[in-house]
Amino acid sequence: MVRFLVVPQWQGSPAARAMLLVDGASAIAGDLPRAATTVLEVPVEAGESLGTGVRRLSALQRTRELVREHLTADTVLIGGDCSITVAALDALPGGTDYVAVVWCDAHADLHTPETSPSGAFSGMALRAVLGEGEQQLVLSPGVPRERVVTVGVRNVDDAEVDPLAALTGLSVADLDDPDALAAAVRATGARRVWVHIDVDVLDPAAFAGVSSAVPFGASPAALSAAIRRLRESIPLAGATIAGFAPRSPADAVDDLGALLRLVGAVA
């Protein structure tokens, strides 16, 4: 049975209103089956960088320990900021050998502490999955580039252009073919797949509750259909749905239909 692990971490976000992510995680948790859901009590304090280029690193490390204590097989993580995926992959039962990572996100998340304009770890999360960046947070070993597939990335900083070009990428338009994602993951040779969804991959016209909206995103229907086809091809190792930051309870209600469609696709 799928388990849900709610991780309302906000400390990895660069947004001025990052704590809205806590409200977003709580809103999603309210519609999950209670018996199958665990809500982590993550640190509420900002934390310290501890002499590194990563803001709030001490709080991120504590959340990582909590994820390791509670993660089981067939878990869907609900964030919080999207860097919780790094913690989940670090604790994944069976490790990341033969695991592909599908990274659905409007942003590349491929900075390092040396290139990041904000020092926020969520902007370094995919680079950390590759095993590069602040050594206290990266995966070791990292997931090989040939087993990473990005989806819907359309806001890329200069320092991220070359790392992104080294990965297999699907555009929003590619999702018009519901089999395209499954084909890309099968081509990696992976035996399992982790699906990461930052909800800013969705089009702002269909989904409003994000900190940094980027136009011309995916529709909830197209992304959900692609993930369902993917699951028919390759077993899911787990998934993340993160980045929900509603500005009010009413806004949260407006977006919950799209969110539950995504939850259904991965669970």
Side-chain angles (χ1 to χ4, degrees):
M1 181 180 71
V2 171
R3 301 285 305 178
F4 295 96
L5 188 60
V6 180
V7 190
Q9 174 183 277
W10 61 273
Q11 291 91 339
S13 171
R17 301 174 71 175
M19 291 196 73
L20 291 175
L21 293 166
V22 178
D23 298 334
S26 297
I28 299 173
D31 279 291
L32 299 176
R34 184 170 301 178
T37 301
T38 300
V39 180
L40 295 188
E41 294 187 10
V42 304
V44 295
E45 68 274 8
E48 302 293 336
S49 64
L50 303 181
T52 71
V54 179
R55 294 174 62 195
R56 308 168 182 146
L57 180 136
S58 62
L60 299 172
Q61 287 178 315
R62 177 57 185 145
T63 298
R64 190 171 181 139
E65 293 168 1
L66 291 171
V67 170
R68 177 171 290 280
E69 291 170 9
H70 290 87
L71 190 76
T72 60
D74 301 317
T75 296
V76 174
L77 267 71
I78 303 295
D81 73 73
C82 65
S83 68
I84 62 172
T85 295
V86 187
L89 290 170
D90 182 61
L92 185 64
T96 57
D97 288 347
Y98 305 106
V99 173
V101 174
V102 170
W103 198 267
C104 307
D105 201 311
H107 304 87
D109 295 345
L110 285 167
H111 277 290
T112 65
E114 291 71 33
T115 66
S116 172
S118 67
F121 186 53
S122 63
M124 312 177 201
L126 183 52
R127 196 68 174 267
V129 168
L130 298 171
E132 301 171 5
E134 170 52 50
Q135 291 302 300
Q136 295 178 76
L137 294 174
V138 302
L139 294 190
S140 182
V143 175
R145 281 172 169 74
E146 58 268 23
R147 293 208 310 268
V148 175
V149 177
T150 66
V151 177
V153 175
R154 56 197 187 278
N155 188 325
V156 183
D157 292 336
D158 290 346
E160 299 174 298
V161 170
D162 288 343
L164 182 63
L167 306 176
T168 297
L170 298 183
S171 68
V172 169
D174 289 328
L175 296 179
D176 292 340
D177 176 2
D179 293 315
L181 178 57
V185 176
R186 284 196 303 268
T188 70
R191 299 176 186 171
R192 298 188 295 161
V193 59
W194 187 283
V195 176
H196 164 95
I197 304 170
D198 183 333
V199 291
D200 67 15
V201 73
L202 299 175
D203 192 85
F207 193 92
V210 298
S211 298
S212 180
V214 182
F216 310 114
S219 73
L223 182 59
S224 298
I227 293 170
R228 289 181 185 277
R229 290 289 182 90
L230 173 62
R231 291 183 63 199
E232 293 170 1
S233 294
I234 299 176
L236 209 65
T240 308
I241 298 175
F244 185 37
R247 295 183 179 274
S248 70
D251 289 345
V253 170
D254 288 343
D255 284 332
L256 277 176
L259 284 164
L260 294 177
R261 183 183 289 239
L262 295 177
V263 170
V266 297

